[in-house]
Amino acid sequence: QIWQEANANRLDRLQMQGSDLGSYERNSNVITTIHIQSTNIATGVGTEGRLQFVDMASSDIMPNPLMKSSEYRGCVDGDLAKFSNKSIDAFNDVVDARCQFDRSVPYRNSTLTHLLRDSLEADAKVLLLCCVSSDEADMDNTLSALRFASRMQSVSIGKATKHIIGSKE
């Protein structure tokens, strides 16, 4: 329900601005963040957490998630190819750096990776859901999604920790 409300609010905002929804959808990522706080009544100890739902823009038009935008530019419309996957390229750069345990991870190369930095570092728990289809017409998108998921499996994030926010003393 929260996801539907977030999308409805976004749609209303776009209609008020007079934006072309189709073009906007292809070139934008959707990030919905839910902040959660709980307090144990008996001990007064509280914890906090965050859930982030991310829908990556135009990830469905990219023939292979390992390709850079310059390699697939001829596969789809020119302007769309220039814009739609810059954030996916930057995300792939972050994944490459994380897989190679680089000290310098390029989170600031994209708004998407900058916003997701906390979720891609030390004490986060990450779950990747991939949409796949058994329909033969969707075979390319399914293979692309599965390759992407396989690649994400190799990213080492660390052990999730509990974030304690206070105690009753």
Side-chain angles (χ1 to χ4, degrees), residues 5-96:
E5 288 178 25
N7 281 331
N9 290 339
R10 191 168 136 244
L11 181 62
D12 291 343
R13 183 177 46 83
L14 289 172
Q15 287 175 343
M16 285 184 354
Q17 293 173 347
S19 298
D20 175 25
L21 185 61
S23 174
Y24 185 84
E25 286 291 323
R26 286 190 303 266
N27 297 321
S28 63
N29 299 302
V30 178
I31 302 173
T32 300
T33 303
I34 302 170
H35 294 275
I36 302 168
Q37 289 185 333
S38 68
T39 304
N40 183 325
I41 297 171
T43 63
V45 175
T47 57
E48 64 180 3
R50 180 176 63 206
L51 291 173
Q52 289 186 311
F53 299 94
V54 180
D55 184 5
M56 296 178 91
S58 297
S59 56
D60 57 332
I61 65 162
M62 194 160 125
N64 180 344
L66 303 178
M67 295 172 84
K68 294 289 184 188
S69 60
S70 59
E71 296 173 310
Y72 65 83
R73 195 161 280 145
C75 299
V76 293
D77 181 68
D79 288 339
L80 179 60
K82 285 182 205 170
F83 277 133
S84 63
N85 287 302
K86 283 185 180 181
S87 59
I88 292 176
D89 284 346
F91 190 78
N92 279 328
D93 291 343
V94 167
V95 169
D96 286 341

Side-chain angles (χ1 to χ4, degrees), residues 82-130:
K82 285 182 205 170
F83 277 133
S84 63
N85 287 302
K86 283 185 180 181
S87 59
I88 292 176
D89 284 346
F91 190 78
N92 279 328
D93 291 343
V94 167
V95 169
D96 286 341
R98 295 288 309 188
C99 288
Q100 296 169 7
F101 300 99
D102 286 350
R103 285 182 156 217
S104 176
V105 180
Y107 291 113
R108 292 189 179 261
N109 289 355
S110 163
T111 303
L112 175 70
T113 55
H114 184 67
L115 291 173
L116 295 177
R117 179 181 184 153
D118 291 346
S119 298
L120 298 170
E121 284 190 335
D123 64 346
K125 185 174 268 194
V126 176
L127 173 68
L128 173 69
L129 297 175
C130 267

Side-chain angles (χ1 to χ4, degrees), residues 128-140:
L128 173 69
L129 297 175
C130 267
C131 296
V132 296
S133 171
S134 60
D135 190 0
E136 194 172 330
D138 298 326
M139 186 66 68
D140 289 340

